[in-house]
Amino acid sequence: MQGKVAVVTGAGRGIGLAVARLLAARDATVVRTGLGQEDGDDYFQADMGKSDQVAALYRHVHKRFGRLDILVNNAGMLGDARLGMIADEMMGRVIDVNLKGVIVNIQAASKLMRRSGGGAIVSVSSIIGLRGNEGQVVYAATKAGIVGVTLSAAKELAADHIRVNAVAPGFIATDMIAHLDAETTAQRLAAIPLGRAGTADDVAEVIVFLCSDAARYVTGQVIGVDGGMVL
C-alpha cells in the first residue's frame, strides 16, 4: 500500500484505531478522524454527523496529499432505546452519524478517488443491521442502511474503478459493549460458535484486505466478522 492515502473515520479507538495502525504498518499514509483532540499530523478532529466538518476533512486531504485511495467509514454510535422511549434528538443524532455521515463521506471521497484513478471504500455495518436486536431499532436501521448504501454505491462507482464493500462485525470486545452486564455478555458469548468475542484486530484484518489489491475483484459485498454468531 505504499504511496496510497487513506482516511479512517472514528479512529480514536477500537476498530478504527486498529484499522489505521494496520494500514500504516502496510505503508499507507493514514489520516485518522475522531471527536477528541489529538496531536499529530495524521489526525483530523471532525464530527462525522456534521456535513460541514466532513467537507473540511476532504479539503484538508486534497490540499495536503492531492489524492485519496482508501476510505474506511467506521465512525458510529449506539443510542439504545426501546420502542416508545426513542427520543427524536437521539434518533436524529444516531442517523446523522451512522448513516448520513457514511453517505456524505462516500460522496466526498469518491470525488478525490476519481482523480486518483480509483480506490476502495469499506463501511462498518453490524450483525444488528442484518438480524436486528431488541432495544436497538434506530441503531439497526442505520446499520441496515449502510448495507443499502454499499450495494448501490458499488454499482454506481464501479465504472470509476472504485470498489465499495462493508463488514458486519458481531460481538467485538470494544468500548461499545463495555456497558453490558455479565449476564448479557454471557448470553452473547453463548451464541458464538467460535466461543469468544472478536477483537478490533479481527475486524481490522478483514477491512484492510478489502482495501488492498488482493481484493481487486471484490465489490458490493457485506462480509460478516462475527465468529458465526446467531442473534
Side-chain angles (χ1 to χ4, degrees), residues 2-99:
Q2 190 171 19
K4 293 189 175 182
V5 177
V7 166
V8 183
T9 72
R13 59 185 181 178
I15 292 171
L17 182 57
V19 170
R21 286 173 171 167
L22 188 53
L23 285 170
R26 306 263 173 102
D27 294 325
T29 298
V30 183
V31 177
R32 298 184 301 121
T33 76
L35 292 174
Q37 292 183 332
E38 289 190 25
D39 294 327
D41 294 337
D42 69 334
Y43 186 82
F44 189 92
Q45 185 179 16
D47 184 337
M48 295 298 103
K50 297 182 178 179
S51 298
D52 59 335
Q53 295 189 27
V54 175
L57 164 65
Y58 289 95
R59 286 196 299 270
H60 166 77
V61 171
H62 180 250
K63 181 178 180 180
R64 183 169 179 194
F65 303 105
R67 66 179 295 125
L68 181 65
D69 305 279
I70 295 166
L71 165 64
V72 179
N73 278 311
N74 172 72
M77 58 184 296
L78 284 173
D80 295 353
R82 299 183 70 86
L83 289 168
M85 302 296 291
I86 300 171
D88 281 352
E89 183 178 355
M90 181 274 281
M91 180 164 52
R93 176 64 176 159
V94 174
I95 291 172
D96 281 349
V97 173
N98 291 9
L99 185 54

Side-chain angles (χ1 to χ4, degrees), residues 160-174:
D160 297 309
H161 307 289
I162 299 172
R163 298 182 298 102
V164 188
N165 294 289
V167 295
F171 193 69
I172 308 299
T174 66

